[in-house]
Amino acid sequence: MSTPILVAGPCAAETREQLLTAAEQIALLPLAKDGCVRLFFRAGIWKPRTSPRSFQGVGDIGLEWLQEVRERYGLKTATEAGTAEQARKAAAAGVDMLWIGSRTSANPIAVQEIADNIEGINTIAVKNPMHEDSELWAGNIERVRQRAKEVWAVHRGCRHKPCWQMAYRLTSAMPDIPLLLDPSHMSGDAAKVENLCRKAESLGYNGYMIEVHPNPKEALSDARQQITPAELQEYTRPDKFNSRRDELDWLRCEIDEADDEIWQAISRRMDVSRRIGEYKHTRNMQIVQPDRFNKVLNRRLKWAEENGIASLTVEKIMNALHEESIHRQEI
Ligand code: PEP
Ligand code: MN
């Protein structure tokens, strides 16, 4: 198997000192020295933020700081481009890898313009779009592939959740494109990064892109999801990467993802039941109302028939849900 890829560094370059400290701490880690990963130091300098009032990145000056990182610590550098002009500037400043972020990835015109302006940059990483669309992701990779020597796909999920099916579709359609997992944006939570690193290794990914900050709590963007350099060393296990993508492992991830959704929906349903219980209580109404339950059940039985699910299964599940709802209303 080829050497795993690790793209690590802060969400954003904030000050020269912050960037050099992050780079120095990463460069000193054992993983940077033992040759077990192809290491790239990342930092966004033009940040595509939701609100114009948020930190927008330091802009062009960040390119000079990234040059300094390369000269001082011998690290390869990476940044995000959202426009053709940014891509040209990054190329002129000698950035080694450019990534196309998930917001830009939603817009094929922007991706094409960037692809047409990447001369001088060897490696381009394409994140999945903000919404679940493996074909758009693949189309973006195709656009870039015609111009770049090396293209990677980065699975960063949608709305702080993985989209395993989207990633599996992409990697099945383009098996020769290295696939990286971005546990930081996928979870939005530093506490979940380690587990997602384990998934990347076991599912046959080719590397990770992880946000690392010398002092995550003080970060000007994505503070909740950034980890420290020491945690990066602890969480990543490049020697554990599986060389094979086994479809069963991916399908099991999809099952876990579906179960999470089911239980979140059940929990939402129970919360509504509790509020209904309060309503009934203040009006001295009966908790169990058989007419209402029969309506709910019949509607679901009709749906089950249309969707090929056994009516007995539907009845069992609906009765169990109803029983739990009654308990909630009694509290
Ligand atoms: C980033 O990597 O900092 C970033 C903005 O990522 P995404 O496009 O996945 O949100
Ligand atoms: Mn970020």
Side-chain angles (χ1 to χ4, degrees):
M1 168 170 182
S2 54
T3 311
I5 298 157
L6 171 59
V7 185
C11 176
E14 297 167 0
T15 63
R16 177 173 167 271
E17 288 65 38
Q18 169 256 8
L19 202 70
L20 293 179
T21 305
E24 180 175 22
Q25 292 183 2
I26 290 174
L28 286 172
L29 295 174
L31 65 81
K33 295 187 175 147
D34 59 16
C36 57
V37 287
R38 276 179 74 193
L39 180 61
F40 288 75
F41 179 76
R42 62 151 282 158
I45 58 177
W46 303 288
K47 298 299 297 175
R49 304 305 302 284
T50 303
S51 165
R53 293 180 303 281
S54 307
F55 174 58
Q56 306 291 303
V58 294
D60 298 2
I61 184 81
L63 291 171
E64 291 174 27
W65 303 343
L66 283 172
Q67 268 170 342
E68 208 173 332
V69 164
R70 191 179 326 91
E71 282 154 21
R72 279 201 189 198
Y73 305 112
L75 290 171
K76 287 194 185 299
T77 58
T79 198
E80 171 174 354
T83 65
E85 192 192 2
Q86 290 171 358
R88 281 196 300 274
K89 283 181 179 171
V95 166
D96 300 284
M97 186 276 266
L98 202 67
W99 79 84
I100 295 181
S102 60
R103 289 156 190 82
T104 309
S105 213
N107 177 356
I109 296 179
V111 172
Q112 188 62 54
E113 282 181 4
I114 294 171
D116 292 340
N117 284 277
I118 51 169
E119 209 185 317
I121 299 186
N122 281 342
T123 310
I124 309 290
V126 183
K127 292 204 178 196
N128 68 260
M130 290 290 269
H131 58 290
E132 191 164 352
D133 188 341
S134 62
E135 285 176 22
L136 179 57
W137 192 11
N140 289 339
I141 291 172
E142 227 176 278
R143 290 173 195 278
V144 172
R145 199 185 208 175
Q146 290 162 3
R147 309 286 168 135
K149 289 202 180 76
E150 189 182 31
V151 183
W152 307 333
V154 182
H155 176 204
R156 54 85 75 207
C158 307
R159 283 168 279 118
H160 288 161
K161 278 191 234 145
C163 301
W164 301 114
Q165 191 185 49
M166 171 177 64
Y168 192 68
R169 281 197 180 141
L170 188 279
T171 200
S172 304
M174 300 181 144
D176 54 324
I177 295 286
L179 180 66
L180 275 61
L181 187 130
D182 172 348
S184 311
H185 293 92
M186 183 173 282
S187 65
D189 182 353
K192 296 186 177 153
V193 167
E194 186 174 11
N195 262 339
L196 286 169
C197 286
R198 299 288 82 76
K199 290 248 185 245
E201 292 143 21
S202 68
L203 289 170
Y205 276 74
N206 304 96
Y208 347 69
M209 183 191 250
I210 307 180
E211 287 192 341
V212 182
H213 194 286
N215 191 356
K217 285 198 187 75
E218 304 284 304
L220 298 182
S221 58
D222 287 348
R224 285 190 61 235
Q225 72 197 32
Q226 304 206 54
I227 60 171
T228 62
E231 286 165 338
L232 177 72
Q233 177 66 43
E234 192 187 324
Y235 297 169
T236 52
R237 308 216 180 120
D239 55 317
K240 294 278 190 296
F241 271 93
N242 193 345
S243 55
R244 217 165 49 91
R245 289 195 182 120
D246 186 335
E247 190 177 1
L248 181 60
D249 293 334
W250 286 77
L251 290 172
R252 286 183 168 153
C253 285
E254 273 190 60
I255 288 276
D256 292 345
E257 190 183 329
D259 281 350
D260 286 347
E261 285 164 18
I262 289 170
W263 285 100
Q264 273 157 14
I266 289 177
S267 152
R268 201 168 73 236
R269 192 184 198 283
M270 292 309 153
D271 186 54
V272 180
S273 289
R274 184 188 51 74
R275 283 151 52 204
I276 288 181
E278 286 167 6
Y279 180 100
K280 289 178 179 167
H281 183 76
T282 55
R283 288 162 180 81
N284 267 329
M285 288 168 73
Q286 272 221 308
I287 290 180
V288 182
Q289 305 205 354
D291 282 359
R292 166 65 182 156
F293 181 63
N294 282 337
K295 262 193 205 147
V296 170
L297 179 62
N298 287 333
R299 175 169 164 255
R300 200 49 53 194
L301 284 170
K302 189 166 170 279
W303 178 89
E305 201 182 329
E306 287 160 10
N307 288 275
I309 296 183
S311 55
L312 194 62
T313 307
V314 171
E315 253 177 81
K316 276 192 216 156
I317 293 174
M318 288 309 295
N319 279 323
L321 284 174
H322 189 225
E323 205 175 303
E324 179 67 21
S325 273
I326 292 168
H327 289 320
R328 294 297 165 116
Q329 297 191 24
E330 285 165 350
I331 294 165

